[in-house]
Amino acid sequence: MVEAAAATFDAELQSSVPVLVDLWAPWCGPCRAMAPNLEKLAQQRAGRLKIVKLNVDQAPSSAARFHVQGIPLLVLHRDGREIGRLAGAVPLAQLQNWVDGQLSEVDR
């Protein structure tokens, strides 16, 4: 899991593995509730999925590119393009299933 700043965000999206961007803010309760699930997912998928956390308060221009309506917002990228979005806090099992489903759709 990587914390990105506005200056490093675009570089963090460049990866040989899919990238899951977590758009969050420290004042957001649901964002804080998702943090342990994202940490577990990062551990489970080490080397197969990169998770990049972007604080929307510290990088508003980067966040604006995603037309964020609310947080937490997860945006999954593969080969430099967006392939899916998930809004709101979800349990770990739902998060795992969503990531797997999005990636399998792209593989078809």
Side-chain angles (χ1 to χ4, degrees), residues 18 76-79 81-84 99-108:
L76 186 60
H77 288 81
R78 187 170 197 178
D79 299 324
R81 66 181 182 87
E82 181 179 326
I83 61 171
V99 168
D100 292 342
Q102 295 299 309
L103 293 174
S104 68
E105 285 291 319
V106 172
D107 290 336
R108 289 183 193 185

Side-chain angles (χ1 to χ4, degrees), residues 4 6-7 21 24 26 43 53 56-57 62 64 73 83 93 99-101 108:
V21 178
W24 73 286
Q43 292 170 354
K53 295 181 68 65
V56 298
D57 290 340
S62 296
L73 176 64
I83 61 171
V99 168
D100 292 342
R108 289 183 193 185

Side-chain angles (χ1 to χ4, degrees), residues 35-63:
N37 292 342
L38 290 167
E39 289 174 18
K40 288 177 188 169
L41 185 66
Q43 292 170 354
Q44 294 169 348
R45 308 287 172 92
R48 297 179 290 140
L49 179 70
K50 179 178 182 179
I51 299 177
V52 176
K53 295 181 68 65
L54 183 68
N55 182 330
V56 298
D57 290 340
Q58 293 178 346
S61 60
S62 296

